[in-house]
Amino acid sequence: MRGISRTILAVAVIVLVVIVGAVAVLMQPPTPTITTTTTTTTATTTTATTSTTITTTTATTTTATTTTVTTSPTTTTTTIKPPNPDTLVQETIGEPDYVDPAVDYETAGGEIIMNVYETLMWYDGESATKVIPWLAESYQMSADGKSYTFTLRKGIKFHDGTPFNAKAVNYSIVRAILIADPNGPAWMLGPLKGAEELMYSIQDGVATQDDVAAWLASKPIEVLDEYTVRMNLDYPYSPWLSVLAYTVTAIVSPTYVEAHGGIVVGEHNEWMDRHAEAGTGPYILKSWEPNVLTLVRNDAYWGGPKGNIKPVLKTVIIKGVADANTRLLDLLKGDADFAYVPVTHIDQLIDMTTWFNEKKIVVKPEVADKVRVTGPYETFNLDFIAFNLNIKDEITKQPAAFQPFRDIRVRKAFVYAFDIDQYLRDVVKYFAIQPNGPVPKGMFGYNPSIPTQQYNLTKAKELLLQAGPDLGFSPQNPKTMTLYYNTGNLAREKAALLIASAINSLNVGLVIQVVPLDWPAFLAKQRARALPFFVLGWAPDYVDPDDYLIPFGHGQKGTFPIVIGYNNPELNTLIEQQAVEADPVKRQAIIDQIVNTLNSEYIYLWTAQATARHVERTWVKGWYYNPAYPGNYFATISKG
């Protein structure tokens, strides 16, 4: 993912013509025109009133929204009869950015997509490392590892009645590449023949109709017959099957998309951004009102590869409820079946003495007949603070006058100023461990010998006093900086307040204010490169270190380097080398070099690798945990 230029090419694609056999797939767009799109995001502000024992300066806030991660239960019995047994209500802290699989790149939208749409490959139940043919019946990889041929399942239909076939597969993946959202997940499709170069040119606004036609003629995807499709890569890429399990490769109905705006190169489809009723999955998005999304069952669902997935719930209602106390009360009253209960409130449900002493979750007797809390589950989720080396003004798009994080002394000082032990103990209550870099523990590529970042407030002050005269701040001439997090995520809020309080206490001439933003406003400001630094998390797209090294380290493709202005060409090369290295020993050595380089430059403050738990009413059945899922899979769940 690149996004060097926000100028995009608006080439209206009217028809995708798929010619079987040796003849290439051709796009037939009209003559392209170049347009410039500018988006201005506004947010209503209110006074921040969050209660915390960590003090900092007062800031303004916006209306609440965010995403969450959930997890898997053991079975218990209850005599309480569930209300509305055909309907499940989930209360969380946000709503999606989009629900179009070609562009959505966050967990709230991912949860909708994984229930509405399906992919050629997907996860086998609770396993995050085993992907199996899903819409595909089988596959074959060429001897050189550069071609994958998929035989597709027959008799499956999209929600609109269109048959699922090889043309639909081609259409869906080509569509994501042609949209080429620089802030979206299409970068994962870069290994497809010529796809990366084409997406770069689309994002830079220089692609032409001839470029698109030439790319299609090079046969990155070949439709061999109605139920056989071949994908051709530029190089062997071992995570490819896992990439095909991510939502960006979800197969959409070409008929439906063409009836609702079709494909425009370099642009979103506004209808698809907010509607999800063109898949083959067990549910359909019926409506999306502010903070309320309603899914309804697909009664014609084909049953999954083993034929055993038969959705019971007729309706799933997902509500965004910002206040944790309200979510907890609704859960205990039975108005919600699932609820996101942050670690800051989990002590109201479980015995914390047992948890701290034994790391065992035991529900308190007074709520045990109502609530089930399960876990802990190992996740691959990383929370971090990112430092922006090229802060921009959100309105003018020009670089800001004050660029403190271009100085490594400032970045290093902020890392030293974070009391990780206090954070793990008092904030996340040991439902996390301290990461030592961008590769999470439990995944190939993690090296426990790489040291973690250290807390040293004395060194932090020394570094900031050294940097101040060069950057123009001092106790007599203070500069104010803003640290952002997404509203409703209390752990991230307290991480922000913790580091702000530490820096403010040093009296070196930097004053940190903490500001929450609702999820869409946060993403908009991030994409505008206007967040000086921010607290965020990363969940896996596919279970391979490549999915962490690129987003955190690659200056041309990476999600975060792009928005914080970090680009180390030598690191980019190493990241590309590890992706194609087949020898695990050699690959590990390259990964170690990448992690050590990134850590030595102090681009990120690694705050936590989460340990998950799941909270539900005792009448819920069939939920399970998979750390690769962006949310809950509702097709296996029932109430009773």
Side-chain angles (χ1 to χ4, degrees), residues 8-13 27 29 177-179 202 207 212 263-267:
I8 55 176
L9 175 69
V11 183
V13 179
M27 297 289 283
I177 291 168
L178 294 183
I179 292 174
I202 291 172
V212 173
I263 303 170
V264 178
V265 174
E267 291 188 4

Side-chain angles (χ1 to χ4, degrees), residues 6-69:
R6 295 299 298 151
T7 303
I8 55 176
L9 175 69
V11 183
V13 179
I14 301 174
V15 182
L16 272 173
V17 181
V18 182
I19 306 205
V20 179
V23 183
V25 180
L26 299 176
M27 297 289 283
Q28 297 182 350
T31 303
T33 56
I34 306 280
T35 62
T36 301
T37 302
T38 303
T39 303
T40 302
T41 302
T42 59
T44 304
T45 59
T46 59
T47 303
T49 57
T50 304
S51 175
T52 178
T53 57
I54 305 169
T55 58
T56 186
T57 56
T58 303
T60 55
T61 183
T62 57
T63 321
T65 359
T66 190
T67 63
T68 185
V69 179

Side-chain angles (χ1 to χ4, degrees), residues 9 190 203 276 321 390 420 503 553 570 575:
L9 175 69
Q203 291 163 7
V321 179
N390 188 22
I420 184 64
I503 296 295
E570 293 181 3
I575 291 171

Side-chain angles (χ1 to χ4, degrees), residues 48-335:
T49 57
T50 304
S51 175
T52 178
T53 57
I54 305 169
T55 58
T56 186
T57 56
T58 303
T60 55
T61 183
T62 57
T63 321
T65 359
T66 190
T67 63
T68 185
V69 179
T70 53
T71 52
S72 146
T74 55
T75 304
T76 61
T77 58
T78 178
T79 57
I80 300 177
K81 183 178 180 181
N84 305 315
D86 292 336
T87 299
L88 183 135
V89 177
Q90 171 177 295
E91 290 192 3
T92 182
I93 52 175
E95 61 179 0
D97 194 21
Y98 309 108
V99 292
D100 184 346
V103 300
D104 184 71
Y105 203 16
E106 42 78 46
T107 53
E111 181 176 57
I112 302 299
I113 293 168
M114 69 180 280
N115 283 281
V116 171
Y117 297 97
E118 294 177 304
T119 48
L120 295 186
M121 308 291 295
W122 206 44
Y123 298 95
D124 189 8
E126 299 179 34
S127 174
T129 57
K130 183 181 180 183
V131 293
I132 62 173
W134 201 266
L135 287 178
E137 186 175 80
S138 62
Y139 69 90
Q140 289 185 332
M141 183 181 72
S142 63
D144 63 2
K146 294 170 63 175
S147 291
Y148 291 78
T149 302
F150 296 89
T151 300
L152 308 181
R153 298 186 191 276
K154 302 178 178 65
I156 299 174
K157 292 187 177 181
F158 293 99
H159 299 142
D160 67 347
T162 300
F164 163 74
N165 55 28
K167 291 182 180 180
V169 173
N170 176 72
Y171 182 95
S172 301
I173 296 176
V174 165
R175 175 176 176 266
I177 291 168
L178 294 183
I179 292 174
D181 183 354
N183 299 302
W187 66 267
M188 296 178 215
L189 303 174
L192 273 172
K193 189 175 182 180
E196 184 174 82
E197 183 179 355
L198 179 68
M199 287 190 285
Y200 282 178
S201 63
I202 291 172
Q203 291 163 7
D204 287 341
V206 297
T208 66
Q209 176 182 340
D210 289 342
D211 293 333
V212 173
W215 173 67
L216 291 166
S218 72
K219 299 182 180 179
I221 303 175
E222 298 176 84
V223 175
L224 302 182
D225 60 40
E226 188 172 6
Y227 293 104
T228 311
V229 63
R230 177 177 296 146
M231 299 179 185
N232 299 311
L233 310 184
D234 277 325
Y235 46 83
Y237 185 61
S238 57
W240 185 244
L241 292 177
S242 294
V243 169
L244 293 179
Y246 187 66
T247 52
V248 70
T249 68
I251 311 304
V252 302
S253 165
T255 305
Y256 181 91
V257 177
E258 288 300 314
H260 294 87
I263 303 170
V264 178
V265 174
E267 291 188 4
H268 282 219
N269 179 314
E270 293 184 2
W271 177 270
M272 295 294 291
D273 279 350
R274 293 193 61 87
H275 295 81
E277 49 193 9
T280 59
Y283 286 90
I284 303 167
L285 180 61
K286 179 182 179 182
S287 64
W288 180 357
E289 302 299 330
N291 287 312
V292 180
L293 291 92
T294 302
L295 297 168
V296 295
R297 185 175 65 195
N298 171 19
D299 289 329
Y301 182 61
W302 61 284
K306 300 176 184 177
N308 61 342
I309 300 176
K310 303 182 186 302
V312 174
L313 298 170
K314 292 181 179 179
T315 306
V316 175
I317 300 171
I318 302 173
K319 296 181 178 180
V321 179
D323 182 67
N325 291 316
T326 301
R327 294 194 303 272
L328 188 57
L329 181 61
D330 287 348
L331 180 74
L332 294 174
K333 288 192 303 182
D335 292 342

Side-chain angles (χ1 to χ4, degrees), residues 300-600:
Y301 182 61
W302 61 284
K306 300 176 184 177
N308 61 342
I309 300 176
K310 303 182 186 302
V312 174
L313 298 170
K314 292 181 179 179
T315 306
V316 175
I317 300 171
I318 302 173
K319 296 181 178 180
V321 179
D323 182 67
N325 291 316
T326 301
R327 294 194 303 272
L328 188 57
L329 181 61
D330 287 348
L331 180 74
L332 294 174
K333 288 192 303 182
D335 292 342
D337 303 292
F338 287 174
Y340 168 57
V341 180
V343 291
T344 51
H345 289 64
I346 200 67
D347 57 353
Q348 298 183 50
L349 299 180
I350 71 171
D351 183 330
M352 294 306 294
T353 300
T354 303
W355 170 249
F356 277 117
N357 291 338
E358 304 177 31
K359 296 299 182 288
K360 180 180 179 182
I361 293 177
V362 176
V363 179
K364 289 182 174 180
E366 58 266 32
V367 295
D369 63 331
K370 300 180 179 68
V371 175
R372 181 185 296 124
V373 184
T374 60
Y377 306 107
E378 292 185 354
T379 80
F380 298 127
N381 301 341
L382 292 181
D383 270 20
F384 61 94
I385 295 174
F387 304 121
N388 192 344
L389 282 63
N390 188 22
I391 305 164
K392 292 189 177 180
D393 184 280
E394 190 172 10
I395 305 301
T396 67
K397 313 300 183 187
Q398 296 303 307
F402 185 48
Q403 299 282 352
F405 293 121
R406 289 183 183 174
D407 192 316
I408 191 173
R409 292 172 296 182
V410 176
R411 302 196 301 270
K412 193 172 184 179
F414 273 67
V415 169
Y416 277 138
F418 188 74
D419 190 339
I420 184 64
D421 291 335
Q422 181 184 352
Y423 180 73
L424 294 176
R425 181 186 65 246
D426 298 341
V427 178
V428 297
K429 305 181 190 302
Y430 296 120
F431 278 99
I433 61 171
Q434 182 182 7
N436 66 358
V439 180
K441 182 180 180 181
M443 182 178 289
F444 171 77
Y446 175 79
N447 184 345
S449 69
I450 292 176
T452 55
Q453 296 168 334
Q454 300 300 308
Y455 170 64
N456 191 322
L457 208 54
T458 300
K459 287 187 177 180
K461 185 169 185 175
E462 290 174 358
L463 287 165
L464 291 175
L465 288 174
Q466 291 172 15
D470 296 331
L471 296 173
F473 67 85
S474 67
Q476 296 75 34
N477 181 33
K479 295 281 189 181
T480 299
M481 299 172 60
T482 304
L483 173 57
Y484 293 92
Y485 71 94
N486 53 307
T487 308
N489 193 311
L490 299 183
R492 292 178 190 169
E493 174 191 10
K494 292 193 174 183
L497 293 171
L498 184 63
I499 194 171
S501 178
I503 296 295
N504 292 341
S505 73
L506 298 177
N507 297 314
V508 294
L510 286 181
V511 179
I512 311 302
Q513 62 177 6
V514 173
V515 175
L517 291 173
D518 68 64
W519 189 233
F522 182 96
L523 291 175
K525 189 175 282 289
Q526 182 195 60
R527 290 165 183 164
R529 286 60 164 161
L531 298 178
F533 59 141
F534 53 88
V535 189
L536 202 58
W538 182 258
D541 306 315
Y542 50 96
V543 183
D544 187 271
D546 196 52
D547 187 46
Y548 289 74
L549 300 175
I550 290 177
F552 283 108
H554 201 294
Q556 292 181 309
K557 305 176 188 177
T559 303
F560 302 114
I562 288 171
V563 298
I564 63 174
Y566 174 67
N567 187 15
N568 181 334
E570 293 181 3
L571 197 64
N572 298 346
T573 299
L574 288 172
I575 291 171
E576 291 166 3
Q577 287 176 355
Q578 66 79 32
V580 299
E581 178 54 65
D583 185 324
V585 175
K586 292 180 180 178
R587 190 183 184 202
Q588 180 68 63
I590 300 172
I591 291 172
D592 288 350
Q593 188 176 353
I594 293 166
V595 174
N596 284 321
T597 299
L598 198 58
N599 286 350
S600 71

